[in-house]
Every structure is written in structure tokens, then in C-alpha cells.
């Protein structure tokens, strides 16, 4: 079965109906004919992989060519277009998520996005912050979510109807999907300083913090959680260029074996932690989503999925196998060796897995989301296509 093909046999439909009863009793009840989906909102926690504008709302500076594929202008996203969370919202029949930190033009009736570029799971210390780590760690994002719920209840009980029109009803929190895509910066930010072995020492703390956050969200009404695991960073052009390595550490497709093996170890820790946490959350669905396998497949075999380049950045400088130069990041101009150099976008980002050497292109995000929506990468199985009349993502 293709990783993006939706299951549709009658046998599978029967199995999904059984899982609806066992896994998600909170969403089982009669639905109105006008309801497109059991999930009325999405609340997202993460880093730049799912940031829809939070970081740039806090620190305005983004410029082109970001956003060129879909938005035709910088949109606060570290990509040429839409992210996984954008496609997921579209598939559920919901609007794109407004960043929690964006004060102008936001609408939170269908959820909020707490993700910000460079966010970590663990609280950043001073030295990490100096090197570019966001102050909006997962703990801060959790507190923002708790404050959001408090304010929703306050405005619902007040006479401020204008403000209430941009907020959900207080019962939304038990009818929402809570998504997580975070942890990559905890893994990569200290690699140069302490190496893989050093990083692996504190990864158990990372998965513990994610599990703790889920328990806290369960306490305020959350009942459905998607936790996306870590991507194969050993295939990132930025990592391949900046990390010293031997040819023996490169797999047949051009990815760093040791780094991807370390990610696999982290993902196992995360999966085990979620399994343990699941038993303490009655009537909740806690789903581990294997995005690692999807992105590894894309990086190894891009042409099998309609793309061309698996480990080469679209927006960058230097050309060659990876088109990434750490001295000049996507969209920037620097003086290098006495001349002005600009890291420009390619003319065909739809052919690339990597947009800028670190983040996925819109084309890759679309393939990833379709694979997720197929249900093939959920553990345990989750009947999303039964709970929701999934909309096509274009």
C-alpha cells in the first residue's frame, strides 16, 4: 500500500468503527448533519516546523523568499508555503491556525498555535539562548495554553461580545485535537559542543517533559493528542554540510547514518514514554505519529513521490550536492571573500524535500500530511478518517 493512499476496503471500515468505540468514546455520540468533523479546533505546540507566525510576531524581521509558493509573500512560516499543521487543518475543514503571539488579525475560534521557531522542549539556559534558541519553550507554550483557557472562560462570562466573537466556546477544549512537533532543537542545538553521546544524556528529560505536558493538557480537558516524532536530521543539507563526518558514515542515499541512528533512539524513548503515559489517561487517545519514516522515505527516494532532490536545499548558496552555506542563510545577502553573495530560492521548490537546508518544502509537507491522514503511521491505530470527513488538500 502506498504511504499516501487512504484505506478504503470494507474490512478496514469495520475495524475503524471498532476503534471509535474503544479509543475515542469522547467523540462518539450523534453528530449533526452539518458537522464536518468531530474535532472543532486544533491546538498546536512546536518549533519552526509548525510555526505559522508566532516567532516573527514576537521578533518581526522575516523577508522573502519565504512563503513564495502559496502565500506569495513572507507568512511567518519557515518554508516556501504551507506546513503540516496547515494541511492538517485544511483536511479537517478548519482554517489555518492563528499564532498565539500574533495580536493583529488573529481568530482563535478553531484553536491556536503556540509553536515558535527555535523552540525547545526543555527550558533554554542562557548559553543556549545566546546561540539562537527561542525563549518560548514547551513549558511556556503550556502556560500560554492554560492562560488562553482562563481568558476564554472570562470573556464567555463577560459582556465583551466583540472579543468573544474571536474566541471559541468554553467547551471546545474537549472537542479539540492537540498536536506536538517539537524536540528537534533540543537534539541539534548542542551537537557541535557535546556531540551525539552528550546530547543523548538529556533526551530522557525531553520525552518526560512532553509526557508531562500532555498530562497537564488532559487535566484541562484535552482528550486527543497527536505527537509527531523527530525527523531524520541526518538527511538535512545543513547537517550534512556543517557536521564533520567520514564517507563511511554516509548511507547509500547521502544521509548521515550515526545521526539518524541517534534520532531513532530518541524516537524509541518518545514512543515508550507515550505508551506509559497512555495508561494514566482514561478515555483519551494519545497517538504516536511516525513522521520519521515518511521523511526518511522522501529523502531516500524523492522521485518515487514526485520530487527530485532529497538532500539538496532549494533556497541556499553554494550549489553542489546540498546547496547550503552556513555563512549566508536563505534570503540573506552577505559579503563572502570580498563579494556580495545572496542565498536565493530555486525556481522549482516543488521538486525539493528541503526548502532551506533545515525545513521541509511545501511539497514535502503535503506528502507527509497525506501519509499521516492515511492512518498508516499512527500508533496505536486511530480512526481519523471515520471521525472526520477529511477534505482534500491541494
Amino acid at each position: 500500500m502506498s504511504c499516501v493512499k487512504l484505506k478504503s476496503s470494507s474490512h478496514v471500515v469495520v475495524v475503524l468503527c471498532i476503534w471509535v468505540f474503544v479509543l475515542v468514546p469522547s467523540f462518539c455520540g450523534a453528530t449533526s448533519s452539518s458537522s464536518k468533523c468531530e474535532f472543532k479546533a486544533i491546538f498546536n505546540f512546536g518549533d519552526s516546523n509548525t510555526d505559522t507566525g508566532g516567532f516573527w510576531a514576537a521578533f518581526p524581521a522575516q523577508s522573502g523568499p519565504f512563503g513564495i509558493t502559496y502565500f506569495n509573500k513572507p507568512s511567518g512560516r519557515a518554508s516556501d508555503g504551507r506546513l503540516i499543521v496547515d494541511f492538517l487543518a485544511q483536511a479537517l475543514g478548519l482554517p489555518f491556525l492563528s499564532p498565539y503571539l500574533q495580536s493583529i488579525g488573529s481568530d482563535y475560534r478553531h484553536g491556536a498555535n503556540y509553536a515558535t521557531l527555535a523552540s525547545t522542549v526543555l527550558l533554554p539556559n542562557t548559553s543556549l539562548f545566546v546561540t539562537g534558541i527561542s525563549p518560548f519553550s514547551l513549558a511556556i507554550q503550556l502556560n500560554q495554553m492554560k492562560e488562553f483557557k482562563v481568558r476564554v472562560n472570562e470573556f464567555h462570562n463577560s459582556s465583551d461580545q466583540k472579543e468573544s466573537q474571536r474566541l471559541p466556546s468554553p467547551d471546545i477544549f474537549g472537542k479539540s485535537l492537540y498536536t506536538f512537533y517539537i524536540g528537534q532543537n533540543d537534539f541539534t542545538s548542542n551537537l557541535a559542543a557535546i556531540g551525539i553521546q552528550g546530547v543523548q544524556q538529556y533526551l530522557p528529560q525531553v520525552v518526560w517533559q512532553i509526557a508531562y505536558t500532555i498530562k497537564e493538557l488532559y487535566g484541562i480537558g484535552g482528550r486527543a493528542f497527536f505527537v509527531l516524532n523527530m525527523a531524520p536530521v541526518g538527511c538535512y543539507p545543513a547537517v550534512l554540510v556543517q557536521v564533520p563526518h567520514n564517507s563511511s558514515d554516509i548511507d547509500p542515499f547521502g544521509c548521515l547514518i550515526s545521526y539518524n541512528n541517534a534520532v531513532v533512539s530518541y524516537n524509541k524513548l518518545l514512543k515508550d514514554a507515550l505508551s506509559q503515559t497512555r495508561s494514566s489517561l482514561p478515555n483519551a487517545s494519545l497517538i504516536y505519529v511516525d513522521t520519521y519514516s515518511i521523511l526518511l522515505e522522501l529523502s531516500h527516494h524523492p522521485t518515487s513521490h514526485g520530487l527530485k532532490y532529497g538532500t539538496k536545499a532549494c533556497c541556499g548558496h553554494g550549489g553542489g550536492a546540498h546547496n547550503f552555506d552556513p555563512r549566508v542563510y536563505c534570503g540573506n545577502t552577505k559579503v563572502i571573500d570580498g563579494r556580495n553573495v545572496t542565498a536565493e530560492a530555486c525556481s522549482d521548490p516543488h521538486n525539493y524535500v528541503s526548502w532551506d537546508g533545515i525545513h521541509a518544502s511545501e511539497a514535502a509537507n503535503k506528502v507527509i500530511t497525506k501519509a499521516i491522514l492515511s492512518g498508516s503511521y499512527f500508533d496505536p491505530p486511530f480512526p481519523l478518517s471515520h471521525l472526520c470527513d477529511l477534505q482534500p488538500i491541494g
Side-chain angles (χ1 to χ4, degrees), residues 1 14 21 57 86 103 189 287 298 331 334 365 376 383:
M1 178 177 63
V14 172
F21 177 77
D86 293 317
S103 58
S189 61
I287 310 301
L298 266 180
K334 295 285 181 67
N365 284 325
S376 302

Side-chain angles (χ1 to χ4, degrees), residues 156-172:
H156 181 74
N157 295 321
S158 75
S159 58
D160 191 340
Q161 296 301 316
K162 183 177 180 180
E163 185 66 27
S164 296
Q165 289 175 359
R166 299 191 303 151
L167 297 173
S169 62
D171 65 349
I172 197 74

Side-chain angles (χ1 to χ4, degrees), residues 249-319:
D249 196 23
I250 298 293
D251 70 19
F253 308 98
C255 298
L256 273 170
I257 297 170
S258 59
Y259 278 64
N260 281 349
N261 285 345
V263 173
V264 169
S265 296
Y266 166 80
N267 285 340
K268 184 179 185 306
L269 283 176
L270 177 62
K271 187 175 182 180
D272 291 345
L274 296 181
S275 179
Q276 295 173 15
T277 304
R278 193 175 293 118
S279 62
S280 64
L281 306 179
N283 299 320
S285 296
L286 175 52
I287 310 301
Y288 172 85
V289 185
D290 186 14
T291 49
Y292 173 92
S293 294
I294 307 168
L295 258 171
L296 187 67
E297 164 65 18
L298 266 180
S299 299
H300 282 180
H301 305 287
T303 57
S304 298
H305 304 276
L307 288 76
K308 291 183 179 179
Y309 307 105
T311 57
K312 182 178 181 179
C314 164
C315 186
H317 169 69

Side-chain angles (χ1 to χ4, degrees), residues 44-56 66 76-88 97 113-121 134 141 179-188 228-233 236 266 291-292 295 329 353-362 364-366 368-369 372:
N44 182 66
F45 304 82
D47 53 32
S48 55
N49 291 304
T50 54
D51 180 0
T52 55
F55 185 87
W56 297 114
F66 291 90
R77 292 158 171 82
S79 179
D80 60 310
R82 291 164 289 180
L83 308 176
I84 293 173
V85 69
D86 293 317
F87 285 118
L88 183 58
L97 294 185
N113 192 0
Y114 302 96
T116 61
L117 182 149
S119 286
T120 52
V121 172
S134 168
Q141 295 180 26
T179 54
F180 294 78
Y181 197 10
I182 191 169
Q184 181 173 299
N185 293 308
D186 297 86
F187 185 88
T188 60
L228 281 62
N229 65 4
M230 193 182 300
V233 300
Y236 285 10
Y266 166 80
T291 49
Y292 173 92
L295 258 171
Y329 185 58
V353 173
S354 179
W355 158 244
D356 56 8
I358 302 170
H359 307 100
S361 65
E362 175 179 285
N365 284 325
K366 183 185 295 186
I368 295 165
T369 309
I372 292 172

